[in-house]
Amino acid sequence: QWSRNLIAAGLVADGVVDERSIVDLKPEDVAGYTQAHFFSGIAIWSYALRLAGVSDDTKVWTGSCPCQPYSSAGQGKGEEDERHLWPEWFRLIRAVRPRLLFGEQVASAAVVGKAAGAAGPAPKDGDPRAWFDVVRSDLEGAGYAVGMAVLPAASVGAPHKRERLFFGAVLLADAGG
């Protein structure tokens, strides 16, 4: 309802709030939208894009996958956690191929994994990579150029550190997009 209120007040881009789980979405459900904000919570992605000067008619997908699998406050299950939803978001990305992507995750997701010495089960395929290594590999394999930065909340004036991993990706012109 919060997102609907922000839309009605004109504070974020006009749109449809779809409350289905991402696991229930099909590519054709999201293919026609100019902007698609997954795991959007309080609609912060639309608001942030506006603050950055990005117009509402810019074709872009954003998402903040659930952080509990990788957060120090979570149970540390990583890819074994049912809330590890990157594979579901990537399924839609790979099918629809949006030109621009932005995402966010807890900073520890850059180092969580056997390769970083973290405890917990290895991914099912035995791959020792951290969460973001998988995201980058998936996106690059699908024809995207990818960049990442870990930024503290204090860098935008907040009175606390709370580091977050932010990433952006652009579909390369010769990648069929």
Side-chain angles (χ1 to χ4, degrees):
Q1 185 56 49
W2 178 261
S3 294
R4 288 182 185 91
N5 292 345
L6 292 175
I7 291 168
L11 296 172
V12 298
D14 191 24
V16 175
V17 178
D18 188 330
E19 296 184 24
R20 290 180 287 174
S21 169
I22 194 167
V23 300
D24 297 328
L25 294 177
K26 296 178 183 77
E28 56 270 20
D29 294 333
V30 294
Y33 290 100
T34 302
Q35 291 188 8
H37 306 292
F38 299 87
F39 320 106
S40 67
I42 60 169
I44 198 67
W45 277 111
S46 179
Y47 186 70
L49 288 169
R50 280 186 168 182
L51 287 177
V54 177
S55 69
D56 290 349
D57 62 351
T58 300
K59 293 187 176 205
V60 58
W61 280 21
T62 64
S64 300
C65 292
C67 65
Q68 295 90 339
Y70 303 97
S71 171
S72 61
Q75 296 176 359
K77 292 182 179 179
E79 292 182 10
E80 298 298 320
D81 192 308
E82 65 185 18
R83 295 165 294 188
H84 169 62
L85 294 174
W86 166 252
E88 292 296 334
W89 191 29
F90 182 62
R91 170 182 59 84
L92 297 171
I93 291 167
R94 188 176 43 228
V96 177
R97 304 181 63 73
R99 178 93 174 118
L100 291 174
L101 296 167
F102 294 103
E104 173 268 339
Q105 184 56 276
V106 294
S108 61
V111 296
V112 170
K114 292 283 187 183
K124 289 183 177 121
D125 62 2
D127 191 337
R129 299 174 299 168
W131 181 85
F132 187 71
D133 293 333
V134 173
V135 169
R136 175 179 286 161
S137 178
D138 286 350
L139 290 172
E140 288 177 348
Y144 286 86
V146 183
M148 179 270 284
V150 173
L151 303 171
S155 70
V156 292
H160 51 86
K161 187 174 177 181
R162 194 167 184 250
E163 291 184 331
R164 306 299 284 184
L165 178 159
F166 291 91
F167 67 91
V170 178
L171 184 62
L172 299 173
D174 62 352

